[in-house]
């Protein structure tokens, strides 16, 4: 499931940078990539000609004819970088990218590494079933004796 989720996040990010990060609930990066894409569109695309177009096909023709190679490269780079980043983040790379990497917060899931709710017996991120802490401590005490 993790591979599929990561590939879908990367694919969605190719078409709309930031959307793949939103899919994997990485909200800060979703806002950064989405904002970067929108800012680049406002700065580099011919917004006046797009607004004056009568149809969507006319606006796409204006975008295709009025943008230079550098602008097309910029948009491709933003989309590709967002897709690669969303894919790797969806797979859990880098391993220290979760909130518990610095030792702060509560316990983390042994499967996905994200922070756990101590009241639940499963990880609400990846649905991995967890052993209760009290049972694990009691079992360790019995084995030690």
């Amino acid at each position: 499931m993790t591979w599929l989720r990561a590939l879908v996040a990367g694919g969605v990010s190719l078409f709309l940078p930031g959307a793949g990060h939103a899919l994997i609930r990485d909200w800060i990066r979703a806002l950064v990539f989405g904002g970067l894409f929108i800012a680049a569109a406002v700065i580099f695309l011919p917004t006046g000609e797009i607004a004056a177009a009568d149809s969507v096909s006319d606006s796409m023709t204006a975008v295709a004819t009025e943008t230079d190679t550098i602008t097309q490269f910029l948009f491709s780079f933003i989309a590709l970088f967002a897709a690669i980043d969303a894919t790797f983040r969806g797979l859990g790379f880098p391993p220290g990218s979760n909130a518990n990497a610095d030792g702060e917060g509560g316990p983390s899931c042994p499967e996905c590494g994200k922070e756990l709710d101590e009241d639940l017996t499963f990880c609400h991120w990846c649905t991995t079933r967890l052993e209760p802490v009290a049972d694990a401590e009691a079992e360790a005490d019995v084995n030690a004796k």
Side-chain angles (χ1 to χ4, degrees):
M1 186 64 171
T2 303
W3 279 93
L4 179 63
R5 184 173 157 225
L7 290 176
V8 168
V12 168
S13 287
L14 278 175
F15 296 106
L16 185 62
H21 289 90
L23 181 70
I24 60 174
R25 297 183 190 109
D26 196 354
W27 305 113
I28 302 295
R29 286 181 183 247
L31 290 173
V32 167
F33 278 111
L36 182 65
F37 188 74
I38 290 171
V42 168
I43 293 170
F44 293 108
L45 290 180
T47 54
E49 294 172 9
I50 294 171
D54 294 331
S55 66
V56 174
S57 62
D58 289 342
S59 64
M60 289 294 122
T61 303
V63 168
T65 58
E66 297 298 323
T67 57
D68 56 348
T69 307
I70 298 297
T71 302
Q72 292 173 358
F73 175 76
L74 174 70
F75 283 107
S76 299
F77 179 76
I78 292 171
L80 186 62
F81 187 68
I84 291 170
D85 188 59
T87 303
F88 279 111
R89 300 286 290 189
L91 291 172
F93 293 113
S97 65
N98 59 3
N100 287 328
D102 54 1
E104 295 178 6
S108 62
C109 175
E111 184 69 27
C112 68
K114 294 187 177 180
E115 188 173 354
L116 294 173
D117 185 356
E118 295 177 4
D119 297 333
L120 299 176
T121 59
F122 64 94
C123 174
H124 64 279
W125 297 102
C126 68
T127 67
T128 300
R129 190 168 296 278
L130 304 169
E131 293 183 25
V133 176
D135 292 344
E137 290 175 359
E139 185 178 314
D141 290 340
V142 169
N143 290 339
K145 292 180 181 181

